[in-house]
Structure formats: structure tokens, C-alpha cells
Amino acid sequence: MTSEWGEKSTADLMSRYVSNEMGYGVPKDGWRICLAHEFKEKRKPFQAKDVSLSNVLEHVGLGIRYLKWWYKKTQVEKKAPFIDMFRAQPLRQIYGAPLGGIGGGTITRGWRGEFCRWQLNPGMYHYKTVTANQFTVCLRRGGQTVYQQVLSVERPPTLQGWNWGYCGEYAFYHALYPRAWTVYHLPGQNVTLTCRQISPVIPHDYQDSSLPVAVFVWDIENKNDYALDVSIMFTMVNGSGHKDDKSGGHWNEPFHLEKEGEAVSGVLLHHCTTVNPYTLCIAAREQPDREVSHQTAFSPKGTCSGLWSDLITDGRLDSPTGSSPPTPKGEKVAAALAVGCSVPAQSRNTLEFCLSWDMPKITFGSREREHIRRYGRYFGTKGDASPSLSHYALTHYKQWERSIEEWQNPILQDSSLPSWYKSALFNELYFVADGGTVWTELLEDADVSGGVRSEDGGLPAQPAVVKEYGRFAYLEGQEYRMYNTYDVHFYASFALIMLWPKLALSVQYDIAGSVVQKDPTERLHLMSGRYSPVKSKNVVPHDVGDPDDEPWQRVNAYLIHDTADWKDLNLKYVLQVYRDFHLTQDNQYLQDMWPICQAVMESELKFDLDGDGLIENSGYADQTYDGWTVTGPSAYCGGLWLASLCVMCKMARLVDSEETYQRYRDLLDRGSAAFDKLLWNGKYYNYDSSGRDLSNSVMSDQCAGHWFLRASGLGDGEYQAFPKEKIQTALKSVFDLNVMSFAGGQMGAVNGMRPEGVPDRSSVQSDEVWIGVVYGLAATMIYEGMREEGMRSAEGCYRTVWERLGMAFQTPEAYCEKGIYRSLAYMRPLSVWAMQLALNTSQKSPTPSAQTGDTDTARN
């Protein structure tokens, strides 16, 4: 099922690798790239200047209002805008798998080994490669050092006392998230190093998955006929390459922790900022035949030859006692840790390191409230947990790996699945941890109900699932800084509900609580130029806030549109409620959500203008495709509406409300008839029913409502909203036109295609490919017996992003056929897990509740 062009692009990533060494324990499947690889295609981010003249003329008011708002935000308030149309991140084709569990902050390593993307302050990204953060190898024979090399292909202008410029043609990187491997063949030494990077991202685990740690296991293969003494040195700067690294007052200290018969030692790097201080920690496991040594503090500037000489002399560091003095303002400090062992001839040995960071208490940008990260429940909130975190990680990582393999192996060993899909499925999961993610404890005085109690059709103040599993939020994208953007979470949520269902339910409770709230504060909405309330009652919010403000407290950071008029947010809430119930069978959850579902459906009914059971659109009628003008009933929103009516019928039966069932049944019957009459053209559902020139464009996402019905175990028999043959015909049209007639069938499905086979260029978004939408489309095709077409559609996206454009671990929201992309590191591509759900279902897997595999249910 893998295409010829696909095999070529995979091979291209490794074409410069000259060694035959394939490392120790590196899996077959994943994303693999030679450290000497150069991506030929260099793309630019979409910016204000890329808007076409016709779109500029249509939206000139928006442009002026955005510019004024942007100026005030950046120049007066000195804050970063939630979306910056003038300063998008440039494409850096460097990223690898991020380090750390979920919600405790992340540090991303590049595929060449650099520490280059930092999210320690919640939701706020900092893109800086810290040159001194490196691993260095020292080989000794007969008491003499024969080879010492920084394991980096870089030749930086600083630290010139170190031996840089490792030849990248002798090394490759392999990612299968949450693990990654880098294999270094040491030229002329007959030695191969395999560095395995492990983060505790483990499905259905709500403790270890929250830990801000990563483990590096170095397997050393000595293929010589003589023994070698091998040391690996890990160097780390106190900070993240941010200007506050030089703010003064930072200090380092060595530590040693022994408990339960296991000893760990290393260096603590205390980063003493006034807001969100933290401690970095580099640590190693002490074992009888390993020598651990350290350098508490060195200055990471100049030649830094003192540290290099210290290691080269005897393969170990001086290990001074006592802490370093606090740094003076303007100076940085770093630390080093070395571990050595003997490796007999023709043999292998292993060294283990850990990196952890401890910032248990956090404040967001407004500084209004202090929050406790999830891992604080297990490791305390005093900021002194680094030794314990490191000890725990180094003594538990083998257990984590067993759990990861138990989860991944059934998919990796399924020979019917193509290799690219296995890489996409696991590697796209990086965003669950590296989506600016926060996972916090529910504060004692928190009330998620929005002030409307259960007895009044609302929620408990502290629902059991939120109290037990905490609050979870991830960004729409690293460049689109809004938490839990709901219309996009609709797609991404498949990863959560399948792998961490309690977090998915927690998000739903937060959303439900904000539905019943209103915020009458008037503010300017940039699209319309009108003032309207921040939040209306019985309307799902666009998002739960900006990390640079106070998330959960103030929702709807998105101020382009007035979301009260959008149709799809409420519908997506209803559809997710039932899908999540279907997959968890959590009856308490269904009972809590049912009154909220009724309230939001009532608020939708006002859009049924002519009483035919079908809601109508005007202007920018839904959030997902908010750049694409819609008039009258549309395939996208109309389809979501019919699917929502269908699940309301199902839920009404489950809660024994026959009267409600009959009401929604009547709406569904009339709405389905109107939908067919107004939108079906014999081959697909028209984009909208306006009759204007472009209303018969072919929308790739036209079957989104049906997709969710199938994902919820519905879509036929009594709970069918769309005729099966029409869905299949529409999907065939989408495949023929949006996929195969676009870019030679090698780039996925374009959002909008004209029936004559050219992309719809009427808006900024219509000629884009949205990777997360294509994964959802592929899932829909799999449900409808079009597995080959679904796989082909998704393969085009994966290969474009990961193999051609160099966007690994930063999958964007969108790309065009040529030239530009939009919004790097975006939430929606997590929808690749919808494909896995479809495959599970089509293979007649166990009952739905067993599919989620949760061992820790909270059913009543």
C-alpha cells in the first residue's frame, strides 16, 4: 500500500548515510534521516503580504483594524499577539522528538542533536539553540585518550576549545515518538554509539505521563579486538537561551540521592527568575562498574578549553564539592556530568543519563492565580523535586519502555499497515506534550460549573473526573496561541479520547461549564468592526483563553470574529459528547452533559430560518472554514447539524426521553430531506446552496458529520442521517478531484476544488491542504470500505510534511501546492488517530469501552 514515489522520498532522507552500522535496538518503523541530509525545498510562512488582491479588497477593514490592534499589543502593551500575521516563525527544518511527559513543559531536541525549542513557561515558546548543550564522547585505550568528539555536526563560533564538526554522513536519527534513537558510527574507531531518548508518554497512565523528565540511554558497541574505556559527557547551560539566562542570581550544585538500593548523582541548575523559577537537573545512575563525575559550574563562553582538557586527561571530571556562587548580571553558567565504563573487545555496554526540569507552580501571563502542575501531586510543589524525579526516571524507564512497546507493537507488527502510516500515527502524537500543553490540579476553590448547578441543568462545581485527573489544555498551534480551540479540538480529540480518555472528558467538562456562562463585556471584533459581548450564554466558546492572560478564567481569546453567530462550535460539542460516551461508556458523563447538549441545540434552532429542519448560514458561518464565505445551508455545517440531530435522538433514547426523541427525529427527517434537495447534485454535496458561481465547489470535508456518526458507532439503520450510496459517491468525487487531480495525487486533498478539476482560489483557505482534515477524510473513507483511497490521501500529507518540506515535529495547519505554509506545529493533525479508530472498527475489534483500554474508569 506504499506508493513508489513514497518509497523514493523515504530513501532520499537516508541517501547521504555512508556507514553500514544500523545501531543497537533501533526499530524498523518510524521517521529516519541522515544527519547530513539537506532539504531542498525551502518554504515561506503565510503572512499578510500573501493575501490576494481580491481578498485584500474584500477585507480591507479587517486589515486596518488588525494592524491597529497589532501595533497596540506589540508596541504599547509589549506583549505577543495571539496570532502574529507580521512575524510568523520562519521554517527551521531541524526539529526532532520533544523531551518530557505531558503538561510539565517541553524541551525539543533537533534531529541533529541540538536543544532548540523550549516551552518551560506554560504555552509560551522560545526558539533558541543553546550551543553548549551537548553530548561528548571520550575513548581511552591503555590509559590514553585516543578520541574525543562533540557529537554535533555544527562548527559554532564559540567554545572553540572543543572538537566540533562530527561528520553527519556517519550518523542517522530515527524517531518513533515518544522515543527516538541517534546512531553515531565513530569513523576510524570501530565503535558505534546508539543514543535512545525516552519520554514517559504512556496511554492510560495519568501519573508517570505527567513527569517533566527524559532519559538518554547510550549503548556502546566496541567492535575492536581490544577493550576501551568510554566516557560520555553531558553539558547543560542553566537556562534556555533566553535573555533571562543572564539576569543574574542563577546557581548550580551537585547532588547525590540514594534510596531503595539505587543511587543517582548529578548537578542541579537553579534558574532563579522572579516569575516561574525552575531547576534543571542532569543526572546519572551510579553502578559498581560506572564512574560518575561532574563539573558543577563552567562559563559557556570563550574557548572553554578547561573543561575539554579536564575530560581528555583521564576520561572523568574534577567533581568539586559545594555549590557555585550566584551568577553576576550579564553572565551565564553551565554544568557538566560525565559517566564512564569499560567496554570489552567485541562487546557492548550501556550508560544512562536523565534530564529533568522542576517548575511545579506556574502563573500565566496575567499573574492572577498560581496553578499546580499535575506532577506536583506525586513529587511535591516546593521546587525541590529534581533529585527524586531523576531517581524515579532512571529506575522506572525500563518499565515505561515495556508499556510503550505493549501499546505500539500490535500496530507496528501489523503487516497490512504501511510503514509511513506507523510513523505518522505515533510521531504526530508529539503535539499532545508539545502543544504548549498544561495539565494542572483543580484548585480547591475552583468551580468549573459556570455557576449553574446540576439541579438547575448545569454541572457539579468539581466533577469527579476533573478533581481526580486535573485540567488539561493544549494550544491550537504553537503560533496560534489559544488553549483548547474547540473547532480544531473536534479533529484532534481522537488522540485524547483513545489514549487518555480522562483528559478528553476533563476538557469537555471545562467547555460545558463555560457554555452556561456569559461575559457581557463589549469588545471590538476585527472582522465585522462591531462591538459585541465576549461570550454569550448557551454558546460553546471558541477557546478557553490565552496563556499570556488567564486561561479558564477568561475564554474566547480569539477576537477576529464574534463566535456567537457560528454554527459549528455547538454542534461539535454535541457530537463529541456522544462519541466520548460511546468510547468510554461513562454514564455519569452522559447524564452531566445531556442538559448542556439540549441547551446548545436550542440555541442552534434559531438558525433554522424557514422551518425545514435545516440550519442556514450567512457570512462566515462556521469557525473551521472562517475565511470561506457561505450563504444558505452548506455541506459542512448542514452535515454537522444533521449528525447532531442524529446523536440527540440516540442520547434521548439512552436517557429515556421519548418526547425529546420524537422532536429531534422530526427535525432529522425534515432536515435530511431538505439537505438532499438543496445540496446533492448527483456526484457530491455542493459547498453551499446559494447558487452563486462557486457554490458547487467540491469541499474535501463535506462528509465531516457522517465521519463523526461512524466514529460513534452510528450512521446506519435508525441512526442514519445520510444515504450510504450518496456518501460513497461524494467520497469518490473528493478522491478523484481534491486528491488525484491536485498536485499529481501526491499532496493529499485540497480543501476546495472546482468540478472541472482546478483548485477553488476564492479565499485564503480554499486552495490550502489541511493535514488534519485529510486524516479525518481518510478515516471516513476507511469506514466506507475505501481503505486504499483513504491511505493514499493521507500518505500525500505525511510525505509532503515529513519527507519533502522538513516539517517533522512541527506539522502545520496548512500548505499550498507551492510556496507557502501556514501555522507551524498545529493541533489538528492529531486526527490521524481517527484513522486508527476507523481501522479498529472495520477490523471488528472488541467492544468500544475495551478499545480505549482504560484501566482506571470512573463509572457510576
Side-chain angles (χ1 to χ4, degrees):
M1 210 182 285
T2 295
S3 56
E4 284 178 26
W5 51 270
E7 286 173 356
K8 182 182 179 304
S9 67
T10 301
D12 190 47
L13 297 182
M14 283 292 285
S15 62
R16 296 189 61 185
Y17 187 60
V18 296
S19 171
N20 294 319
E21 294 295 328
M22 299 316 290
Y24 179 79
V26 184
K28 180 171 74 78
D29 297 300
W31 181 71
R32 184 174 295 190
I33 184 168
C34 175
L35 265 58
H37 184 76
E38 292 280 343
F39 288 98
K40 297 182 187 75
E41 191 167 343
K42 311 289 182 189
R43 290 216 167 188
K44 293 273 196 304
F46 176 86
Q47 299 200 94
K49 62 181 174 52
D50 295 305
V51 181
S52 68
L53 182 60
S54 60
N55 272 297
V56 167
L57 295 173
E58 191 179 341
H59 300 309
V60 68
L62 167 65
I64 293 166
R65 287 185 289 272
Y66 178 84
L67 184 58
K68 282 182 179 173
W69 173 83
W70 181 90
Y71 182 84
K72 183 184 174 201
K73 196 80 178 170
T74 58
Q75 306 305 309
V76 180
E77 298 174 18
K78 303 293 183 193
K79 288 206 154 195
F82 71 95
I83 296 178
D84 196 331
M85 287 294 293
F86 298 109
R87 296 187 298 205
Q89 281 298 319
L91 175 60
R92 298 175 180 91
Q93 296 166 315
I94 64 173
Y95 296 114
L99 305 168
I102 299 170
T106 40
I107 300 170
T108 297
R109 281 186 87 211
W111 48 269
R112 291 192 182 98
E114 61 273 64
F115 289 75
C116 51
R117 185 169 71 194
W118 306 77
Q119 188 254 144
L120 298 178
N121 277 324
M124 306 301 287
Y125 275 85
H126 172 62
Y127 304 89
K128 188 77 177 179
T129 297
V130 181
T131 307
N133 291 357
Q134 298 291 347
F135 287 102
T136 295
V137 62
C138 172
L139 304 184
R140 293 171 57 76
R141 183 185 177 195
Q144 298 291 316
T145 295
V146 294
Y147 180 88
Q148 187 163 297
Q149 173 74 50
V150 184
L151 294 170
S152 167
V153 298
E154 302 300 324
R155 295 180 184 273
T158 57
L159 307 176
Q160 290 185 335
W162 297 9
N163 183 24
W164 295 90
Y166 173 84
C167 180
E169 293 178 352
Y170 288 89
F172 70 88
Y173 176 84
H174 184 98
L176 188 67
Y177 187 76
R179 296 191 292 173
W181 293 255
T182 312
V183 175
Y184 303 91
H185 180 58
L186 305 183
Q189 305 305 313
N190 242 356
V191 171
T192 301
L193 309 175
T194 303
C195 176
R196 184 166 85 256
Q197 167 187 311
I198 305 141
S199 294
V201 178
I202 303 161
H204 314 291
D205 177 309
Y206 298 90
Q207 177 176 323
D208 290 7
S209 289
S210 72
L211 303 183
V213 297
V215 173
F216 301 96
V217 178
W218 289 83
D219 282 296
I220 304 153
E221 295 176 275
N222 176 13
K223 301 196 175 175
N224 292 293
D225 293 328
Y226 47 81
L228 286 169
D229 292 319
V230 181
S231 301
I232 302 276
M233 178 174 73
F234 186 13
T235 49
M236 197 81 188
V237 172
N238 185 327
S240 62
H242 194 267
K243 63 185 180 189
D244 67 21
D245 293 2
K246 292 184 175 182
S247 61
H250 310 313
W251 58 286
N252 300 346
E253 63 172 326
F255 80 93
H256 172 87
L257 175 63
E258 193 165 340
K259 63 179 179 184
E260 295 157 10
E262 295 275 4
V264 166
S265 58
V267 185
L268 304 173
L269 297 83
H270 301 294
H271 197 76
C272 304
T273 46
T274 48
V275 176
N276 294 342
Y278 60 90
T279 297
L280 285 167
C281 172
I282 51 176
R285 193 173 184 168
E286 291 196 355
Q287 290 167 289
D289 54 350
R290 308 281 188 282
E291 185 170 20
V292 181
S293 58
H294 69 270
Q295 184 53 262
T296 309
F298 69 91
S299 174
K301 66 177 188 182
T303 63
C304 209
S305 50
L307 182 73
W308 193 260
S309 304
D310 187 2
L311 185 68
I312 216 167
T313 305
D314 55 6
R316 63 185 304 282
L317 300 172
D318 278 352
S319 303
T321 56
S323 57
S324 70
T327 52
K329 198 164 185 176
E331 294 295 320
K332 296 182 186 181
V333 67
L337 185 69
V339 190
C341 67
S342 179
V343 188
Q346 301 295 338
S347 201
R348 179 179 65 85
N349 213 337
T350 304
L351 300 173
E352 302 160 318
F353 291 85
C354 176
L355 173 65
S356 66
W357 49 99
D358 185 24
M359 185 198 284
K361 294 179 179 176
I362 51 170
T363 57
F364 293 107
S366 73
R367 314 276 178 260
E368 286 172 36
R369 309 198 76 177
E370 189 173 71
H371 300 264
I372 307 293
R373 294 202 200 254
R374 170 72 173 181
Y375 79 90
R377 175 182 286 213
Y378 309 106
F379 284 86
T381 60
K382 294 178 182 170
D384 59 359
S386 291
S388 299
L389 281 165
S390 302
H391 188 284
Y392 187 85
L394 286 165
T395 54
H396 286 75
Y397 80 84
K398 289 178 180 172
Q399 190 178 314
W400 297 343
E401 290 197 281
R402 282 194 295 274
S403 299
I404 290 165
E405 286 166 7
E406 280 170 23
W407 157 48
Q408 293 185 337
N409 280 350
I411 292 166
L412 297 176
Q413 291 165 5
D414 184 342
S415 59
S416 74
L417 296 173
S419 185
W420 68 263
Y421 170 77
K422 296 168 185 177
S423 174
L425 188 69
F426 294 115
N427 285 324
E428 290 289 11
L429 262 185
Y430 84 94
F431 195 84
V432 170
D434 204 14
T437 312
V438 286
W439 183 2
T440 64
E441 294 287 85
L442 185 62
L443 298 174
E444 282 183 21
D445 62 346
D447 179 351
V448 307
S449 74
V452 181
R453 291 283 180 270
S454 305
E455 55 271 21
D456 301 315
L459 299 170
Q462 298 205 337
V465 72
V466 187
K467 203 169 180 180
E468 177 58 28
Y469 296 98
R471 294 182 113 164
F472 176 87
Y474 57 161
L475 296 174
E476 179 175 336
Q478 290 180 10
E479 296 188 86
Y480 283 18
R481 211 182 56 238
M482 295 158 282
Y483 272 136
N484 294 353
T485 297
Y486 200 69
D487 66 290
V488 185
H489 173 69
F490 177 74
Y491 296 80
S493 60
F494 282 87
L496 286 185
I497 195 61
M498 292 175 71
L499 302 174
W500 294 275
K502 301 301 186 213
L503 297 184
L505 299 190
S506 176
V507 169
Q508 287 290 84
Y509 275 101
D510 268 326
I511 292 293
S514 62
V515 165
V516 301
Q517 286 181 305
K518 61 181 178 183
D519 181 349
T521 312
E522 295 272 320
R523 73 168 176 196
L524 178 68
H525 287 96
L526 300 179
M527 179 62 79
S528 66
R530 292 193 299 268
Y531 282 85
S532 50
V534 169
K535 169 74 174 64
S536 304
K537 191 175 180 181
N538 291 342
V539 174
V540 168
H542 170 273
D543 57 81
V544 300
D546 176 353
D548 206 20
D549 184 26
E550 191 61 36
W552 294 304
Q553 200 77 5
R554 281 187 291 281
V555 303
N556 277 346
Y558 184 78
L559 46 73
I560 307 289
H561 294 284
D562 179 358
T563 55
D565 287 334
W566 276 333
K567 321 300 184 294
D568 67 331
L569 293 169
N570 283 356
L571 304 176
K572 288 173 172 175
Y573 168 76
V574 172
L575 289 169
Q576 284 187 76
V577 165
Y578 182 70
R579 181 208 56 191
D580 296 352
F581 168 74
H582 170 69
L583 292 173
T584 62
Q585 297 294 301
D586 187 327
N587 291 312
Q588 184 62 54
Y589 168 72
L590 182 66
Q591 287 165 22
D592 288 342
M593 297 294 151
W594 173 241
I596 317 287
C597 288
Q598 289 178 288
V600 299
M601 287 298 281
E602 286 304 314
S603 74
E604 287 290 295
L605 275 168
K606 67 175 183 276
F607 299 116
D608 180 8
L609 303 181
D610 53 12
D612 63 357
L614 193 61
I615 59 171
E616 298 191 26
N617 304 324
S618 57
Y620 298 90
D622 63 75
Q623 158 51 14
T624 294
Y625 299 93
D626 65 349
W628 214 349
T629 308
V630 189
T631 308
S634 69
Y636 185 72
C637 264
L640 293 175
W641 167 248
L642 295 181
S644 299
L645 293 173
C646 203
V647 303
M648 288 299 284
C649 289
K650 176 68 176 176
M651 288 192 286
R653 280 269 158 92
L654 289 168
V655 300
D656 293 327
S657 179
E658 189 59 28
E659 185 184 340
T660 309
Y661 171 84
Q662 289 301 339
R663 180 160 186 253
Y664 286 110
R665 181 83 248 172
D666 173 58
L667 282 166
L668 176 59
D669 292 344
R670 289 188 292 117
S672 294
F675 186 77
D676 262 16
K677 182 181 170 189
L678 289 166
L679 293 162
W680 181 251
N681 66 18
K683 292 185 175 176
Y684 58 89
Y685 294 103
N686 284 340
Y687 175 64
D688 69 19
S689 56
S690 65
R692 63 195 171 91
D693 287 350
L694 299 169
S695 70
N696 64 339
S697 284
V698 189
M699 188 186 197
S700 65
D701 209 9
Q702 62 184 273
C703 297
H706 179 73
W707 163 42
F708 248 73
L709 289 179
R710 294 302 305 265
S712 306
L714 306 175
D716 49 24
E718 184 182 0
Y719 299 105
Q720 179 175 337
F722 312 92
K724 188 177 179 68
E725 65 281 3
K726 288 182 178 172
I727 289 289
Q728 291 177 341
T729 303
L731 290 172
K732 186 177 185 315
S733 297
V734 168
F735 183 72
D736 291 345
L737 287 164
N738 301 58
V739 179
M740 297 309 292
S741 300
F742 176 73
Q746 295 184 12
M747 289 182 76
V750 69
N751 275 343
M753 182 63 97
R754 300 294 301 136
E756 59 271 22
V758 295
D760 179 334
R761 303 194 193 279
S762 63
S763 80
V764 166
Q765 297 177 344
S766 54
D767 69 341
E768 291 181 331
V769 175
W770 290 5
I771 298 92
V773 163
V774 178
Y775 289 151
L777 168 67
T780 319
M781 289 176 170
I782 292 166
Y783 282 121
E784 294 307 319
M786 299 169 63
R787 176 165 164 165
E788 201 168 315
E789 292 89 337
M791 285 291 181
R792 172 73 190 236
S793 304
E795 182 183 359
C797 286
Y798 172 79
R799 300 219 183 263
T800 299
V801 169
W802 289 77
E803 296 181 348
R804 201 177 112 203
L805 301 185
M807 294 176 178
F809 298 100
Q810 53 181 332
T811 303
E813 158 70 319
Y815 54 74
C816 290
E817 185 173 0
K818 294 187 174 71
I820 57 175
Y821 63 86
R822 187 164 58 78
S823 189
L824 287 171
Y826 198 76
M827 178 201 285
R828 203 185 318 258
L830 284 171
S831 62
V832 68
W833 278 86
M835 293 178 66
Q836 189 58 33
L837 181 63
L839 289 165
N840 291 351
T841 308
S842 63
Q843 288 163 1
K844 295 286 183 284
S845 58
T847 58
S849 54
Q851 280 174 19
T852 62
D854 222 335
T855 54
D856 196 358
T857 52
R859 291 184 201 152
N860 277 13

